[in-house]
Amino acid sequence: MIVVPKGSLHNLSRSVDRKRRDLLKAIAVGASVAGISGVLVVDRDKLAKNLKRVSLEDLLRSTAEAESPMEERAKKKEAELKKRYSAEAENICREKGEDSEECKLARKKVELITVKATAPRKGVKYAMALDINKCIGCRRCVYACVMENNQGRNLGIEWIRVLEISREESLELLGSNWYYEEIPKKDKVYVPIACMHCEDPPCVMVCPVKATYKEPDGIVVIDYDVCIGCRYCAVACPYGARRFNWAKPVVPIQELNPNMHILGNIPRQPHVIEKCTWCIQRVRDGGVPACVEVCPVGARVFGDLNDPESPIRRIAEEYGLFVLKPETGAKPKFFYFFGPARTPPSKGER
Amino acid sequence: MSASEWFETIKYIIGWALRGSRRYYLAAFGLLLLAVYGLYLWIFMQHAPIFLGSDKGGLILTAMSDSVPWGIYISFFVFWVGVAAAGIVFAIAAYVFNDKEFKKIAVLGEVQAIAALIIVLLLIVVDMGRPIRALFLMPRLPNLRSMLDWDFIVITGYLLINIIGMLVTVHYYRKDKPLPAKFIVPFMVIAAPFAIGIHTVTAFISQALTARPIWNSPLLAPRYVATAFASGPALLLIALYLAERYIEGFKVSIDVYRKTLYISVIATVVGLYFTLSEVQEIFWYTTEPSKLAQAKELFLGLHVPYLAVLMWLWVGLGSAAVIASLIPSTHNNKKAIVAISALIVVAVIAEKTFTIIIPAFIPSTLGEVRPYYPTPIEYGITVGVHALGLLIYLLLSKPAIKAVMTHYFKHGHEH
Ligand code: SF4
Ligand code: SF4
């Protein structure tokens, strides 16, 4: 919960501008997503509703945020990254020539680098669900995630694992295989797994320096400047969600995603842990995670559990939500469901 | 008691630590060499990516992975916590049961605990990705729900207690004075719970994790403590034997050997019994599939054969030691007792290193089987850490025993 300090009104005008920009961006993203996934149906009325939700309170909050230490740190990081990557860009320009495409792209990327520290929205509780009947195991979410979240290319880090499990078995992960090559196979189901953003996350309980914690909007984040690389959280996570930077991670500038959040996809340091953040850099600005956007069969649904209109609520009501390994007691906020292909939705009763 | 007298004590310790025969220097120098080499490997591996920004080096040179996040370091960490915990056994025998023979060697238990705890702390440091950051952040941002923080607290606390214990002992004995009761009573009252505490908390790090079914049993902590009291005293006996052999005029009655062996053997029996109980729980009827899979890795070594070898080595050598200790003629022979102790130490190393840590990761939480075999660098660093610990053991036991001899072995003969 963000508490607005007294006397923070003085630079309200600046933040109003910024907020407006963000909002327009958010709407654009929202609209495009609706087109792609086909799960969200966005019309004018709904958009109007979205517009209404930004209250004075929100604006005040973002003012406070502008002064928060997190914001300060983000600014510093941004400057650092710009410096680091412009050196790389200059190298490219020297090699390929000043007016080569590569040089222009690299310079453009450097310019675009922004590190945000967007705070959680009030009263929001995110959740994601995945339709096991739809998923074809194509791993496009895995690749989109790598690109979106600046995962160390040299280390082969992938936040999402897609497990191939035989249909004959129960959802027992022991016999699973994530190195499969052919898809889709009739006798297999595909179960993508990433951080479940648990309600009672064991990873958070065990961290000796509180480097990883749960934000009010339900996203479990890692502060890469605090993590001491003990990997206790990786040991405690029941869903194998955490990836360690076993060496210095490298993301070449050509592949860098310049839209960054300090608790999310900002390039990591060596020897810190990382994991899925539900694309914090997108969702806190009103967007949806990259995996939801990219999934070619629309198997993923993301939304606010507290909002009765959100797609996730509709899924919950119509199909029911299931969690993996409930016996661990971590209470995941990533759900699975069995969509229309096999379990027809209940009609009429509701 | 003035500060200068304490200063004298420290000078006494350093003085005696640095004085010795050629063989003593040779041993110390060899250990130092190994330790420096380990340090070099560690700096090369750990700090190249952080301080030099190099993309060479890094923990990637270990065999650890996201599936097996902890390896040889944490494995041996568990073993040495056990050894440290058992340092208290001699002190209990000496001060609680007021056994004069044990008073001569109680300080050796403290020295052993100091050495073991230094190994323990170093093993955590080399395992951590960002140890320097940890140094600043752990005290500043403690998470009281994290067992790792509690472990850190009890381990450093116990280290401090043992350093104090050793200092005070040397301080009084070197001047041929008995230890004052106003020191012994509070010392025991604080030290004994800490001794049990370090190992209990170390087990608590792992036993409450539902993510790791094979650890997720309340038997883990008792099992840790049981085998700790097997290996710790056994190791002390070996050290004691070596001390008797190489330090002229230092003699201890065979009674000490016999009684210590009893403790060690009883603890081994309890440990074996716990293993039996675990086997029954896992294999007799049915059990949770992932726990069963991990247990099969441990007892049958399907993908990591060395786990099964070590586990059965524990059962075999442990039982052999127990049986050997039942033969009456071994009871009057220091050499036989030390041989049995060595068996127990090897058995517990087999039981309490890889066999505790690694099965929890194979198969992993998502069912991946990624075998773990430490790389040469990991072995090198582990050896280096152990060399440093043993060096400290060597250097500290010398002045400690000298001080004991001043008090108990005046003019070359016992009094
Ligand atoms: S899935 Fe793992 S990393 Fe994610 S919140 Fe749960 S315990 Fe933590
Ligand atoms: S690896 Fe980092 S985030 Fe995980 S428990 Fe250790 S310090 Fe915390």
Side-chain angles (χ1 to χ4, degrees):
Chain A
M1 219 49 76
I2 300 294
V3 181
V4 183
K6 279 208 183 87
S8 58
L9 273 169
H10 58 276
N11 51 4
L12 184 64
S13 60
R14 205 176 72 209
S15 76
V16 170
D17 247 25
R18 187 166 155 250
K19 196 71 210 173
R20 252 225 323 271
R21 259 200 340 264
D22 284 357
L23 191 71
L24 290 175
K25 236 191 313 186
I27 293 168
V29 171
S32 68
V33 165
I36 294 165
S37 71
V39 172
L40 289 157
V41 183
V42 178
D43 56 29
R44 239 165 216 293
D45 292 348
K46 284 235 171 97
L47 271 184
K49 228 183 189 169
N50 275 342
L51 283 169
K52 252 186 263 160
R53 241 191 268 145
V54 179
S55 60
L56 183 64
E57 235 173 69
D58 273 343
L59 294 176
L60 289 177
R61 182 178 52 70
S62 82
T63 335
E65 179 199 307
E67 290 166 350
S68 75
M70 202 50 117
E71 194 79 17
E72 297 277 299
R73 275 174 53 196
K75 287 255 153 57
K76 243 188 245 150
K77 291 264 159 184
E78 190 178 302
E80 261 169 45
L81 279 174
K82 281 204 163 148
K83 213 166 105 200
R84 185 165 112 207
Y85 274 107
S86 65
E88 203 178 314
E90 288 321 306
N91 269 346
I92 291 175
C93 289
R94 223 172 301 130
E95 258 171 46
K96 305 264 160 125
E98 280 293 323
D99 7 73
S100 63
E101 275 307 303
E102 287 96 336
C103 169
K104 278 185 201 147
L105 182 78
R107 285 204 174 134
K108 180 94 195 143
K109 276 272 174 78
V110 175
E111 224 172 88
L112 284 175
I113 291 179
T114 34
V115 180
K116 300 173 293 186
T118 327
R121 295 175 173 219
K122 262 206 183 131
V124 171
K125 195 102 204 158
Y126 293 120
M128 199 191 277
L130 185 139
D131 186 347
I132 292 188
N133 279 336
K134 266 193 190 151
C135 179
I136 51 169
C138 67
R139 289 204 190 100
R140 256 175 257 189
C141 52
V142 180
Y143 308 138
C145 176
V146 170
M147 299 297 273
E148 170 70 30
N149 290 300
N150 294 326
Q151 285 151 35
R153 304 295 197 272
N154 55 332
L155 303 177
I157 293 178
E158 291 172 353
W159 288 352
I160 307 175
R161 293 246 139 96
V162 185
L163 306 190
E164 178 198 76
I165 301 177
S166 156
R167 270 191 195 279
E168 262 79 79
E169 285 176 51
S170 50
L171 273 185
E172 175 54 61
L173 304 184
L174 271 180
S176 72
N177 168 20
W178 72 63
Y179 301 103
Y180 62 85
E181 270 159 13
E182 261 170 70
I183 56 138
K185 284 194 186 145
K186 270 220 166 65
D187 55 338
K188 306 281 190 206
V189 284
Y190 299 91
V191 183
I193 293 183
C195 175
M196 305 270 176
H197 298 272
C198 309
E199 196 60 39
D200 289 334
C203 58
V204 169
M205 300 177 197
V206 303
C207 177
V209 287
K210 295 190 182 147
T212 179
Y213 51 91
K214 196 171 177 69
E215 294 260 78
D217 57 1
I219 301 181
V220 174
V221 294
I222 298 157
D223 190 333
Y224 309 120
D225 291 330
V226 177
C227 173
I228 59 173
C230 67
R231 309 186 293 289
Y232 193 6
C233 54
V235 173
C237 169
Y239 302 98
R242 294 193 163 235
R243 307 282 175 271
F244 192 63
N245 286 283
W246 294 96
K248 184 185 168 194
V250 176
V251 184
I253 180 132
Q254 295 91 331
E255 294 176 28
L256 189 76
N257 173 11
N259 173 27
M260 302 172 192
H261 192 287
I262 186 163
L263 295 173
N265 58 345
I266 187 168
R268 266 72 71 189
Q269 309 141 12
H271 294 177
V272 299
I273 206 112
E274 64 180 74
K275 65 164 190 69
C276 159
T277 64
W278 274 342
C279 289
I280 195 166
Q281 69 278 8
R282 290 167 151 244
V283 301
R284 290 231 174 130
D285 288 353
V288 296
C291 55
V292 176
E293 192 175 316
V294 83
C295 179
V297 293
R300 287 171 181 263
V301 180
F302 181 80
D304 175 7
L305 275 180
N306 288 342
D307 175 5
E309 301 285 310
S310 75
I312 194 105
R313 284 283 286 269
R314 195 181 67 104
I315 299 292
E317 275 149 30
E318 255 172 58
Y319 302 105
L321 301 174
F322 301 87
V323 299
L324 209 59
K325 296 210 214 176
E327 73 276 9
T328 63
K331 303 204 198 111
K333 282 285 156 297
F334 183 106
F335 304 98
Y336 297 91
F337 68 101
F338 299 90
R342 264 149 225 282
T343 336
S346 52
K347 277 180 232 138
E349 294 126 35
R350 284 201 189 92
Chain B
M1 200 119 343
S2 68
S4 75
E5 274 182 59
W6 286 101
F7 187 65
E8 283 298 311
T9 304
I10 293 178
K11 260 192 11 209
Y12 177 92
I13 292 173
I14 295 174
W16 275 106
L18 297 182
R19 213 173 314 164
S21 63
R22 222 174 75 94
R23 205 182 297 124
Y24 179 77
Y25 282 126
L26 230 57
F29 188 70
L31 289 173
L32 188 68
L33 222 61
L34 282 177
V36 169
Y37 185 62
L39 184 75
Y40 159 76
L41 284 179
W42 178 62
I43 289 176
F44 164 71
M45 176 171 96
Q46 207 100 338
H47 299 296
I50 293 171
F51 292 128
L52 309 177
S54 118
D55 29 22
K56 306 248 158 39
L59 283 170
I60 201 162
L61 300 178
T62 68
M64 290 184 276
S65 60
D66 289 332
S67 275
V68 186
W70 286 345
I72 185 171
Y73 305 143
I74 300 295
S75 299
F76 278 85
F77 158 83
V78 172
F79 173 75
W80 286 103
V81 170
V83 170
I88 201 73
V89 168
F90 280 8
I92 290 178
Y95 306 129
V96 178
F97 295 104
N98 213 1
D99 183 316
K100 185 168 159 244
E101 279 299 308
F102 272 98
K103 280 186 187 163
K104 290 181 193 165
I105 53 164
V107 69
L108 202 61
E110 283 149 24
V111 170
Q112 173 166 308
I114 293 170
L117 289 169
I118 284 170
I119 295 179
V120 160
L121 289 173
L122 286 176
L123 283 173
I124 308 185
V125 169
V126 297
D127 183 67
M128 243 172 339
R130 298 201 151 247
I132 294 168
R133 202 183 259 186
L135 208 63
F136 293 105
L137 288 183
M138 293 243 313
R140 241 183 55 207
L141 295 167
N143 173 8
L144 294 186
R145 278 196 93 175
S146 172
M147 264 357 263
L148 215 60
D149 279 347
W150 285 107
D151 209 33
F152 199 71
I153 292 170
V154 287
I155 284 174
T156 40
Y158 190 55
L159 177 60
L160 218 66
I161 290 169
N162 277 291
I163 291 176
I164 292 172
M166 184 206 156
L167 271 180
V168 172
T169 313
V170 171
H171 188 76
Y172 280 94
Y173 283 2
R174 80 181 167 89
K175 291 183 294 181
D176 194 11
K177 284 192 210 143
L179 282 181
K182 73 175 193 292
F183 163 73
I184 290 176
V185 175
F187 177 75
M188 290 311 297
V189 168
I190 298 171
F194 260 87
I196 307 288
I198 58 166
H199 220 24
T200 307
V201 174
T202 302
F204 284 2
I205 286 179
S206 33
Q207 79 172 19
L209 300 177
T210 47
R212 309 289 167 187
I214 200 155
W215 284 346
N216 197 206
S217 134
L219 191 55
L220 199 65
R223 187 180 137 194
Y224 270 31
V225 174
T227 44
F229 282 97
S231 58
L235 206 65
L236 265 171
L237 281 188
I238 297 174
L240 191 59
Y241 185 73
L242 291 177
E244 275 196 285
R245 194 150 162 208
Y246 291 113
I247 297 180
E248 218 178 305
F250 181 63
K251 281 279 165 288
V252 178
S253 127
I254 192 163
D255 238 23
V256 166
Y257 281 77
R258 213 179 289 137
K259 285 179 187 158
T260 310
L261 187 71
Y262 287 160
I263 297 171
S264 186
V265 166
I266 290 167
T268 308
V269 171
V270 175
L272 286 168
Y273 174 74
F274 284 167
T275 302
L276 176 74
S277 172
E278 276 191 325
V279 168
Q280 194 277 340
E281 189 249 348
I282 292 166
F283 292 107
W284 200 259
Y285 297 122
T286 53
T287 191
E288 192 203 324
S290 44
K291 184 172 185 172
L292 183 65
Q294 295 180 337
K296 276 189 178 157
E297 237 25 275
L298 175 60
F299 286 99
L300 310 175
L302 304 179
H303 302 93
V304 260
Y306 70 88
L307 286 183
V309 170
L310 288 174
M311 201 57 200
W312 292 108
L313 209 61
W314 149 242
V315 174
L317 292 185
S319 315
V322 173
I323 291 166
S325 71
L326 295 178
I327 303 169
S329 60
T330 57
H331 299 179
N332 299 316
N333 184 341
K334 281 187 185 175
K335 265 201 187 125
I337 290 179
V338 169
I340 296 173
S341 301
L343 269 186
I344 292 178
V345 170
V346 175
V348 175
I349 289 178
E351 190 255 4
K352 231 194 195 151
T353 50
F354 296 113
T355 37
I356 294 253
I357 298 299
I358 307 302
F361 305 128
I362 306 176
S364 73
T365 44
L366 298 187
E368 191 195 27
V369 172
R370 184 184 283 263
Y372 169 81
Y373 294 94
T375 57
I377 274 202
E378 270 174 292
Y379 278 119
I381 291 176
T382 312
V383 168
V385 167
H386 281 79
L388 191 61
L390 293 181
L391 181 64
I392 286 166
Y393 201 162
L394 185 69
L395 294 185
L396 289 186
S397 53
K398 186 92 183 300
I401 289 176
K402 282 290 167 199
V404 167
M405 285 170 71
T406 320
H407 185 52
Y408 284 107
F409 300 77
K410 264 178 245 154
H411 316 300
H413 61 81
E414 254 182 87
H415 83 139

